[in-house]
Structure formats: structure tokens, C-alpha cells
Amino acid sequence: ETGVTQTPRHLVMGMTNKKSLKCEQHLGHNAMYWYKQSAKKPLELMFVYSLEERVENNSVPSRFSPECPNSSHLFLHLHTLQPEDSALYLCASSRWQGNYGYTFGSGTRLTVV
Amino acid sequence: QQQVKQSPQSLIVQKGGISIINCAYENTAFDYFPWYQQFPGKGPALLIAIRPDVSEKKEGRFTISFNKSAKQFSLHIMDSQPGDSATYFCAASMTGGGNKLTFGTGTQLKVEL
């Protein structure tokens, strides 16, 4: 395990469903991130949380709703998704101040049908 | 100006050869340059990183070369092995404003026997 745990690993959902992705870290980090990874595209930063406050929202559609209840947990709530939202969703954590590498989870492979 | 351009998109190297992946950036405020390695079904993992006060950093078979004046940095994998077959991402960030990495588009490396 990398220190960042994501569940579920795989998710298939219909366009009218509501589901949530979960991310958990116990590395003592105070920043958490959601990334979208699609085939043949660069990693797309979706949301950044620092000290449980959202500090960045990169023009992500409202059908994606993040939640960070504490510094160890991050959720991505999904509703009325589109097939083009099918991708690997990666969570990462790091220290917020200074330049440090991220620790990524293994991701949730999402398929929207 | 926030972009990090990475090349090549894919690379095939014979076992024992040298793999070279290049990245270029425009933002001179970037001062931290990590490389990530991603295997299928896994999240990216930090491989090696460099700060601009040095021109080279070596860890085992992996070396980062950094050219501040050209705004370029590269990853060299010496004695490439089939187990090195993965996707490699370069990234960059700047001090201040929080720890936000800008990623390159990735290079898919295949090391053949």
C-alpha cells in the first residue's frame, strides 16, 4: 500500500446514479487532491484541499462534488455523470507548504454506462 | 506559461540500453521538478526529484539532468530493464502559493528483451 487508500477500486454506474469515491491517508499530510486520468491525456487536476479548505476548483462540472471532512479523508460525490466522465480518478496527498512530492492512491476506475 | 511539455510520447528501448525522456517548461518560477513512474492499474509513484540549485541528481540507475538556462530537464534510465516498462511523468511546481504540481503528458516506456 502506498499510504493513500482509495475505494472502490472499480465502479460501474449508470448516468442517473449517485455514488461516492473515498480517499484516506494517514501520512500526516495536510493537502489532498483529486485528479482525473483519461487515456492519452495528461493528468487533470480537479480539486485541491489544504487544511480541509478547498483552495482550487479547476472548472469542474457540478456533477462532481468534493468533500473533505478532515485532513485524512477526501470524498468525491458523483451524480448524473456522462459517459465521457469514464476515467481513472486518482487521489493524492502531500504537505501543503513547500515543494514536496505527492503520494498517490491506486485510483478508482470509473465506467459510466 | 504553466505548461510542462514532455517528449517523446512513447519510447521503445532494448534491455540494457539508456532511456531518455525530456521535459521543457516556460515558467522560470518553477523550482521543484519531480518525476513519477506509473505502472498499469496503479497510481503514479514519486521516482526522483531535483531542485534547480544542482544540475544533476542520481539515484541508482535513474538520473535527472537539469539545464536551468534552457529550461529543460530530463530523466535518464541506465541499463534499462523490462521491469522499467511503465509510464513516466515529469512535473514542476513553485515555492509559495501551496504545493501544486503541473504534470507533463507522460511517456510510455517499453523495454524489450
Side-chain angles (χ1 to χ4, degrees), chain A residues 9 33 35 37 41-43 48 56 88 90 94-96 98-102 104-106, chain B residues 31-32 36 38 41-44 46 51 89 93-95 97-101 103-105:
Chain A
R9 291 295 309 273
Y33 312 78
Y35 278 86
Q37 187 174 35
K41 282 188 174 182
L43 288 159
V48 180
E56 188 143 334
L88 181 68
L90 290 162
S94 76
R95 282 187 255 178
W96 180 240
N99 293 331
Y100 298 95
Y102 294 175
F104 281 90
S106 295
Chain B
D31 58 2
Y32 176 68
Y36 285 80
Q38 184 178 26
K42 298 287 188 181
L46 180 63
R51 299 185 192 272
F89 295 92
S93 67
M94 67 184 92
T95 302
N99 187 13
K100 288 184 280 188
L101 286 170
F103 284 89
T105 49

Side-chain angles (χ1 to χ4, degrees), chain B residues 7-23:
Chain B
S7 63
Q9 194 172 25
S10 62
L11 180 62
I12 299 175
V13 172
Q14 296 300 308
K15 180 173 180 264
I18 302 173
S19 304
I20 302 174
I21 305 170
N22 301 299
C23 284

Side-chain angles (χ1 to χ4, degrees), chain A residues 42-99:
Chain A
L43 288 159
E44 298 175 53
L45 178 62
M46 300 176 71
F47 301 104
V48 180
Y49 276 83
S50 167
L51 298 171
E52 300 138 48
E53 283 192 32
R54 192 190 310 179
V55 297
E56 188 143 334
N57 174 349
N58 272 357
S59 303
V60 179
S62 60
R63 57 186 183 268
F64 295 91
S65 174
E67 180 191 0
C68 187
N70 55 61
S71 60
S72 298
H73 294 87
L74 184 66
F75 295 89
L76 188 62
H77 303 300
L78 316 171
H79 64 98
T80 58
L81 293 191
Q82 305 298 311
E84 60 265 28
D85 296 322
S86 298
L88 181 68
Y89 288 85
L90 290 162
C91 172
S93 71
S94 76
R95 282 187 255 178
W96 180 240
Q97 293 303 326
N99 293 331

